[in-house]
Amino acid sequence: MTALGRAGIRLPIILGTAALLSGCLAPEEFNATIDLSGYSYSVELDGRLADPRYVKALQDGQEIPPDADEKMKGQEALAATMPGMERFVYVGEGRFDLAMSLEGELTESNPAIGFPASKSRSGNNFLTIERQEDGSVVVSTPVVPKQALADLNSIGLPATGTVTVTVKGTVLEQNADEEAGQTYSWHRKSWEDRVYLKLDPGES
């Protein structure tokens, strides 16, 4: 995971969007509903992303450059090029609201999709659906490195949201908070909470 240094603090680029959405964005609220059938997926997503550097600067009473919000708002047009992006709006204080809807299929040539940077193949997305070499499918969120975790907690940036995955197939591994039939739910309460589900889609 890439990190940026500023004024003695190292802040993670949790989303793999450095080439498209400038700055360091972290998902302080992230809700997703995922349906998996074989290698086909359908994802509905909404939430709020925050730039920890901006949040930290406000906390420290630093003077924000007069063009900072204008530059942040300029990311809206770049985000609109992301497949599935329906809404990406700067709401002030270094935060963006987003909504996405995307359907597709994991193939051998395109085995993974990440969110919200659905164009990115960097592996730094917050949520990833990936077809493994053994044919299984893994839905996961990343482990936040120890230093990045300390930085986010020191800022007091919240981590909230619910991820729900409904599957057709055999679940091999999962760490959900709730299970109801073939539907699994995770309730995010901290940066240490992680989504992990491994599925045998029943396709050869």
Side-chain angles (χ1 to χ4, degrees):
M1 183 174 293
T2 307
L4 296 178
R6 188 192 66 77
I9 186 169
R10 291 177 58 78
L11 299 171
I13 300 179
I14 292 180
L15 310 180
T17 57
L20 191 59
L21 304 178
S22 66
C24 169
L25 299 178
E28 64 176 352
E29 181 182 355
F30 196 91
N31 303 295
T33 300
I34 302 168
D35 288 303
L36 293 174
S37 179
Y39 292 119
S40 298
Y41 61 84
S42 174
V43 179
E44 300 284 339
L45 182 154
D46 67 77
R48 176 164 289 188
L49 311 180
D51 184 336
R53 299 168 302 177
Y54 198 119
V55 175
K56 175 66 173 173
L58 289 175
Q59 288 181 353
D60 292 348
Q62 296 181 23
E63 183 178 352
I64 304 298
D67 62 344
D69 284 336
E70 182 180 351
K71 288 182 177 179
M72 297 288 274
K73 190 172 179 60
Q75 301 304 309
E76 294 176 357
L78 295 175
T81 67
M82 291 284 186
M85 188 68 74
E86 295 185 338
R87 173 180 167 82
F88 190 85
V89 178
Y90 183 59
V91 295
E93 296 187 343
R95 290 173 166 87
F96 298 86
D97 283 352
L98 85 159
M100 301 183 74
S101 179
L102 191 62
E103 297 179 352
E105 184 173 357
L106 304 174
T107 64
E108 291 184 3
S109 58
N110 292 289
I113 182 72
F115 298 91
S118 48
K119 278 186 177 180
S120 173
R121 294 183 177 275
S122 68
N124 287 332
N125 263 296
F126 179 66
L127 176 69
T128 301
I129 306 171
E130 186 170 6
R131 176 175 176 168
Q132 306 293 300
E133 290 186 1
D134 64 3
S136 64
V137 175
V138 171
V139 181
S140 65
T141 55
V143 176
V144 180
K146 186 179 296 186
Q147 184 59 59
L149 180 64
D151 293 339
L152 289 166
N153 287 334
S154 71
I155 297 169
L157 201 64
T160 64
T162 297
V163 175
T164 300
V165 180
T166 300
V167 304
K168 291 182 180 179
T170 302
V171 173
L172 304 174
E173 299 177 49
Q174 53 88 12
N175 65 346
D177 297 316
E178 296 179 6
E179 178 182 348
Q182 292 289 84
T183 297
Y184 301 82
S185 298
W186 293 258
H187 304 293
R188 186 168 172 250
K189 298 177 181 178
S190 81
W191 293 102
E192 294 178 272
D193 290 340
R194 185 177 180 231
V195 171
Y196 185 84
L197 182 145
K198 185 174 183 179
L199 171 74
D200 178 353
E203 296 191 5
S204 57

